[in-house]
Amino acid sequence: MKRLIARFVIETQTGLEAITIWEDGIERESLASDDATITTLSRNHPAAIWFERKMHDDYGIRIKDAFDNRPLIQHERFPKSLHPMRRSFQSETIDYADFRPYKYETIGGDSVFEVSVGPIHAGIIEPGHFHFSQAGEDILHQEVRHFYKHRAIEKMLEGKTLQEAKALIERISGNESVAYQIAWRDIVLAATGTELPEANRRYHALLLEMERTIHHLTDLGFIPNDAGFGAALAYASARAEEARRQLAALCGHRFGFGAIGFDTHHIDTDAMHRYLDDLEEKIAFFESWITDIPSLWDRFDTTGILSRNDAIAYDTVGVVARASGLARDVRAGDPFYKKHGFTLCLQHAGDVAARFKLRLEEVKNAAVMMRNFLTQSSEAVNLGKMRDGEYHAYAESSLGELYLFIRLENGSISRFFARDPSFVNWQALHRMMPNNIIADFPLINKSCDLSYAGNDL
């Protein structure tokens, strides 16, 4: 079955157009501006339902044969007839509507009860709601509901140039800043017909692998912490902080903001080699240490399993997909990465243990690639003239494949769409819950490391 990547709408001068991005091509469907209807893809691609519900909320498009017609990003008091992505909507404020209760998916029956978690959490995380149907401690079903911090980024970017849009694009999700900039860069290069020198590409790839290392190290600490082993969090957090400082030394910012551009950069290669020597030594110690704790693996093994079939059905990407045996990685098909030491890391059990092991392997492979990416300096690039048109770009973030679509008209953005890896992976989370207890939910959730911000554009 071919993979669904994204589904969204653009508004043209003559009406609406539904665009479906598949791994092997693009489908376009012209729609009337009023009373527009499309047929759901969710029967064969369950993750399509969020795309389609969003299309309805944004543009008022009716989804034929959908199993779920509830609002997605419009919460209980959002005006039902207001569709803010329409060009006709230019208001800076809205009038609240009457409260409309949101009906969660639940399982009924004797001794079955519901547990609500969020949207405000005890931990310092962004808002998200998780609704459980329980039989005692056992999870029968879970529903994820987000979009409490929907920031209207798609609307904000309309009318901006690519350069003006960059600061917002790179801040869509803080743990994917460099990856979003890589996708932005590729659109700029395509729109200007410019070729990036290899030294610049190596520098950018180095920053991307450093970002991946930071967030994999963070997860390698938090996953054991959610199984009650706080020492791993302390150790891995120190390594993540060292990596973040190294990122700042490379590009000037701990989160990589402003890292990707077309100017000259110089690198202290000796300092970077020393950092990588230290990282590899500490990761080897961490792996030896963490592997020899049987009680930890008792919690990891067989917990939160995402089967290969479910991983395929929900069009998952990133660590979530690769831990279930799916060879999905933007870098895998790129000869540039293979030339610099990329190895596709896979696990097959689909559980917390698999997602943990996969991150460990990817950190080790990132260290190999970063050595090969080292270059003394990158070059200043003279960009060609910006051309109107539609542009697509992909990047493999620490969370997985992200996708950007930008339509340029008269040199500025008329439509911006981003599909974060979390937008599809969140939808597969409930498939990991059956046969687990509710105390395992934080562990399972953290093993996927999904972004709230990247999801809630």
Side-chain angles (χ1 to χ4, degrees):
M1 183 170 66
K2 63 182 179 180
R3 181 166 66 93
L4 173 69
I5 293 173
R7 202 173 198 205
F8 56 96
V9 173
I10 61 172
E11 187 170 4
T12 66
Q13 298 299 326
T14 58
L16 301 175
E17 191 171 28
I19 297 180
T20 305
I21 309 296
W22 302 97
E23 64 180 339
D24 62 353
I26 302 172
E27 291 180 2
R28 312 178 77 106
E29 183 178 357
S30 296
L31 307 170
S33 289
D34 53 347
D35 198 30
T37 302
I38 60 172
T39 300
T40 187
L41 300 175
S42 60
R43 301 297 174 180
N44 294 321
H45 296 272
I49 199 65
W50 275 20
F51 292 105
E52 294 164 355
R53 290 166 66 190
K54 185 176 186 300
M55 292 163 74
H56 174 269
D57 288 0
D58 285 343
Y59 289 93
I61 294 174
R62 293 188 295 112
I63 313 300
K64 182 181 177 182
D65 297 331
F67 66 83
D68 188 351
N69 285 304
R70 295 171 299 170
L72 183 73
I73 60 175
Q74 296 182 0
H75 280 251
E76 284 83 350
R77 295 196 62 195
F78 198 95
K80 190 174 182 179
S81 60
L82 193 156
H83 304 291
M85 283 301 295
R86 293 268 187 166
R87 288 182 177 177
S88 58
F89 178 78
Q90 296 295 327
S91 176
E92 294 184 358
T93 61
I94 61 172
D95 295 323
Y96 289 123
D98 292 336
F99 182 87
R100 304 190 308 275
Y102 185 86
K103 185 173 176 57
Y104 286 95
E105 299 171 347
T106 59
I107 294 177
D110 293 341
S111 302
V112 176
F113 61 95
E114 298 172 40
V115 175
S116 295
V117 179
I120 306 303
H121 298 271
I124 306 174
I125 60 174
E126 292 170 272
H129 186 92
F130 305 96
H131 203 84
F132 297 87
S133 292
Q134 297 277 139
E137 288 292 300
D138 296 330
I139 300 172
L140 301 179
H141 180 66
Q142 178 215 40
E143 181 179 2
V144 174
R145 188 184 185 207
H146 289 326
F147 308 98
Y148 289 90
K149 291 187 72 173
H150 185 70
R151 296 162 289 167
I153 288 175
E154 292 168 282
K155 193 77 171 181
M156 281 193 287
L157 290 181
E158 290 179 359
K160 288 182 166 46
T161 66
L162 283 177
Q163 192 58 49
E164 290 169 341
K166 182 175 184 287
L168 274 175
I169 293 172
E170 67 188 27
R171 288 167 172 81
I172 285 175
S173 180
N175 53 357
E176 302 169 272
S177 173
V178 175
Y180 271 104
Q181 290 176 74
I182 294 284
W184 169 88
R185 175 206 70 186
D186 287 348
I187 287 177
V188 171
L189 293 172
T192 59
T194 306
E195 186 173 346
L196 192 70
E198 171 136 335
N200 297 55
R201 189 166 186 206
R202 289 171 65 188
Y203 173 64
H204 294 169
L206 170 67
L207 298 180
L208 183 59
E209 293 311 309
M210 181 59 73
E211 179 175 75
R212 189 182 324 281
T213 297
I214 290 168
H215 296 293
H216 279 357
L217 287 171
T218 302
D219 294 335
L220 289 170
F222 270 105
I223 294 170
N225 184 69
D226 280 342
F229 190 63
L233 176 60
Y235 187 85
S237 295
R239 306 293 76 77
E241 173 61 22
E242 291 163 357
R244 199 170 288 286
R245 292 179 184 181
Q246 191 63 33
L247 179 63
L250 287 168
C251 69
H253 200 286
R254 288 167 52 83
F255 286 89
F257 297 152
I260 304 298
F262 304 101
D263 299 326
T264 301
H265 289 273
H266 298 283
I267 300 173
D268 185 342
T269 56
D270 289 340
M272 189 63 192
H273 276 299
R274 289 194 297 271
Y275 166 74
L276 291 171
D277 288 342
D278 184 63
L279 172 65
E280 288 175 327
E281 181 180 337
K282 289 173 177 174
I283 284 298
F285 165 78
F286 180 79
E287 182 175 20
S288 176
W289 173 42
I290 212 77
T291 302
D292 197 30
I293 305 174
S295 59
L296 195 60
W297 295 96
D298 284 345
R299 289 292 308 279
F300 288 2
D301 290 330
T302 71
T303 298
I305 295 174
L306 181 68
S307 71
R308 179 182 174 86
N309 286 342
D310 281 342
I312 293 171
Y314 281 84
D315 298 295
T316 58
V317 294
V319 168
V320 170
R322 294 193 291 274
S324 294
L326 303 188
R328 292 179 179 171
D329 192 310
V330 173
R331 300 168 297 170
D334 190 337
F336 169 82
Y337 272 95
K338 291 183 179 180
K339 181 175 73 173
H340 289 88
F342 170 77
T343 299
L344 180 63
C345 302
L346 291 177
Q347 293 283 327
H348 297 276
D351 55 8
V352 170
R355 293 186 281 274
F356 183 87
K357 292 174 184 175
L358 188 65
R359 286 188 173 87
L360 197 55
E361 292 303 312
E362 291 193 355
V363 168
K364 292 189 290 185
N365 186 226
V368 171
M369 285 190 287
M370 284 190 281
R371 286 193 192 279
N372 295 332
F373 288 141
L374 278 178
T375 183
Q376 289 286 351
S377 62
S378 59
E379 305 173 27
V381 179
N382 294 317
L383 297 173
K385 183 180 178 181
M386 196 72 66
R387 299 169 297 192
D388 287 350
E390 294 181 356
Y391 301 97
H392 310 256
Y394 297 83
E396 189 69 28
S397 78
S398 61
L399 279 67
E401 171 203 85
L402 63 84
Y403 164 78
L404 283 191
F405 168 89
I406 291 180
R407 180 181 177 128
L408 295 177
E409 294 182 8
N410 300 318
S412 62
I413 297 171
S414 64
R415 181 68 167 102
F416 172 87
F417 178 83
R419 193 236 57 203
D420 193 84
S422 296
F423 195 86
V424 288
N425 286 349
W426 274 121
Q427 297 188 67
L429 190 66
H430 76 282
R431 300 297 297 169
M432 307 178 199
M433 296 301 151
N435 303 313
N436 292 278
I437 62 174
I438 196 166
D440 285 327
F441 165 65
L443 177 61
I444 299 168
N445 190 27
K446 189 59 195 174
S447 75
C448 298
D449 187 28
L450 306 178
S451 173
Y452 296 81
N455 188 74
D456 295 10
L457 296 183

